[in-house]
Structure formats: structure tokens, C-alpha cells
Amino acid sequence: MIKFFRRIRQQLLTENKISKYFLYAIGEIVLVVIGILIALQINNWNETKKLHKRELALLSELNSNLEINIINLENDIIKQNKSIKSFNYILSLPHNNMPYNDSIPDYLFDIDYTPDVILVSSAFQTLKSSGLELIQSDSLRMAIVNLHEVDYVSLMQETRRLEDQLWSAVVIPLFQKHLRNENERWIPNDYESWLKDVEFFNMVSFRASLRNSSTSYKKRAVDQTKHVIDLIEKELKKSKK
């Protein structure tokens, strides 16, 4: 092709057709420019296609992570609701002056449970390293970022901060003062004396309120996570059309 164009130019010069030569040269330049633009357009199209494929893969992985988070949170909520019932039962002992029974150590062991927050964020971390702008939808990108960097962070801070501060400073000393651990059951050393310790039951009451708050935070996190999953699934369905 290059030799063909070169022969035409040489022929025009030989025949002294300078004006036609310049017109032909300009035309040739225009064709080259058009060819370059077409090549760039194809390259951009291929790159856009690759980025979109990457976006869909990350959204699918993120969706799987969020579904795992919902399972973890809902399991935590079940455990915490159970522990709230145990808190209420223990608090009823001095209030109703109830006699000792063999189920009390099990309830005490249950309120000894400290909730944690286990959330999967590997896909979000990959998205951050790849560039958040990979998500084309502004509303979806904002929802994903808010969930991971605002809602989840707040949940983890509130759950751990309140429990951790109270645990080592108050809970452990009071448990050790009145109770002994035998085969994962807390048994009162002196039941009557324990029932009269107002400080101990004030601690139990306060922890019960914290547990209620933590459960509410986790329920809210489940709703927020389900909302983002719904947005992701709509985006994935849109790409299949």
C-alpha cells in the first residue's frame, strides 16, 4: 500500500503536476489521520469494554461479600437477642428475691458473651485500589462507600468501644468478686451476698442497655447492606440487557 502511494506521488512529480501532487499529499495525510483516529477509537472502545467487565466482576464479588455480612450480622442479632433475655432474667433475681436454681449459671455465662463485628470487605478494598471511579453510577458508588466507610465503621466503633471499656474495668472485677467459673458456667460463691450487691446488678443493667443498642445498630446495618445489594443487583441486571 505504501509503495502504491509512493508510485503515484513520483508519477505526479515526473509529469510536473505540482498542484495535483499537493492535493494528493493532503488527501493522503487526511487518510492517515482518519486511520489513526479510527484506531484510537477502537482502542478506547476496547479499553472501555475491559473496564466495564472489571466493574461487573467487582460488583459481583462485592455483592457476595455483602451477603456474607448479612449472614454474620443476623447470626449476631440472634445471639444478642438471646443474651438480652438472659440479662433480663438475671436482673429479675434480686428484684423478685428469687431462690437459687441450677439454670442461673447458664444465664450468667450467656451474659458473659461479648459481641463482636465480623465484616468481609475484601472486594471493597480491591475496588479502592483499582479506583472508585471504576463504578460508573454515581449513586451506586456513593452508597457503597458510605456503607463501608461510614455505616460499618460506626457500627464497629460503637460495638467495641462501649463493651471493651466496660469489660476490663468493671465486668471482670465484679464477676471475679462473686462468681467462679466451672465448666463454662458462672456459679455464685455466696448467692445471698451476691443478690445484695447493687453495683453488680447496676453493671448488668448497663450492659443490657448496651446490648440493646448494639443489636439496634446491627439491625440497621442489615437494612443498609440489603439496600446496597439491591442497587448492585439492579446494576448487574442492567448490563445483561
Side-chain angles (χ1 to χ4, degrees):
M1 184 63 73
I2 295 175
K3 290 182 178 179
F4 174 75
F5 287 133
R6 186 181 297 163
R7 281 201 298 271
I8 293 176
R9 288 200 305 271
Q10 288 175 346
Q11 184 178 349
L12 290 172
L13 286 172
T14 301
E15 295 174 0
N16 202 28
K17 297 178 179 179
I18 303 300
S19 59
K20 288 185 178 181
Y21 171 82
F22 281 119
L23 286 174
Y24 176 80
I26 292 170
E28 188 176 326
I29 292 170
V30 170
L31 286 174
V32 170
V33 171
I34 290 173
I36 292 172
L37 290 175
I38 292 173
L40 287 172
Q41 185 65 28
I42 292 172
N43 184 64
N44 288 338
W45 182 79
N46 287 333
E47 190 63 28
T48 300
K49 190 175 179 181
K50 286 180 183 178
L51 289 174
H52 185 55
K53 187 176 180 180
R54 175 66 171 160
E55 176 194 10
L56 295 179
L58 277 174
L59 284 177
S60 181
E61 185 182 350
L62 185 63
N63 202 47
S64 298
N65 281 186
L66 296 182
E67 287 175 349
I68 293 172
N69 288 345
I70 286 178
I71 292 172
N72 290 342
L73 288 167
E74 288 182 338
N75 286 336
D76 285 349
I77 290 168
I78 291 171
K79 291 178 183 177
Q80 291 185 202
N81 281 332
K82 181 175 178 290
S83 72
I84 289 168
K85 291 179 181 179
S86 296
F87 275 113
N88 291 335
Y89 178 80
I90 293 299
L91 288 170
S92 72
L93 297 177
H95 180 71
N96 297 321
N97 198 24
M98 294 171 62
Y100 181 81
N101 65 76
D102 290 338
S103 64
I104 289 174
D106 296 319
Y107 284 108
L108 284 169
F109 184 77
D110 198 28
I111 70 169
D112 187 29
Y113 157 74
T114 304
D116 202 350
V117 183
I118 300 175
L119 300 171
V120 182
S121 62
S122 56
F124 179 68
Q125 297 305 321
T126 301
L127 176 61
K128 283 179 68 176
S129 63
S130 300
L132 292 170
E133 66 276 3
L134 188 65
I135 306 299
Q136 296 180 39
S137 169
D138 292 339
S139 58
L140 176 57
R141 187 191 319 114
M142 186 178 298
I144 291 170
V145 172
N146 283 341
L147 179 66
H148 286 84
E149 298 198 334
V150 179
D151 300 327
Y152 280 174
V153 170
S154 175
L155 169 66
M156 294 175 75
Q157 286 177 344
E158 288 303 312
T159 300
R160 290 175 176 169
R161 179 177 64 85
L162 295 175
E163 289 280 354
D164 288 352
Q165 285 181 356
L166 189 66
W167 183 255
S168 58
V170 180
V171 178
I172 292 178
L174 286 173
F175 263 62
Q176 291 177 341
K177 178 181 177 181
H178 291 285
L179 312 170
R180 65 184 185 276
N181 192 303
E182 294 182 4
N183 299 320
E184 296 189 341
R185 299 170 82 235
W186 285 105
I187 301 174
N189 296 319
D190 183 333
Y191 183 71
E192 297 301 328
S193 174
W194 170 57
L195 286 187
K196 295 175 183 177
D197 191 331
V198 176
E199 185 181 8
F200 186 99
F201 288 94
N202 283 343
M203 174 273 293
V204 172
S205 178
F206 185 54
R207 286 197 74 210
S209 68
L210 295 181
R211 192 61 46 83
N212 275 303
S213 297
S214 173
T215 305
S216 297
Y217 280 125
K218 288 185 178 180
K219 287 179 179 177
R220 193 179 308 127
V222 168
D223 292 338
Q224 292 162 334
T225 304
K226 286 180 177 178
H227 173 65
V228 175
I229 285 177
D230 185 54
L231 293 177
I232 291 174
E233 288 179 346
K234 285 179 181 178
E235 191 68 24
L236 291 173
K237 286 178 182 177
K238 190 193 303 181
S239 68
K240 293 178 181 178
K241 293 180 181 180

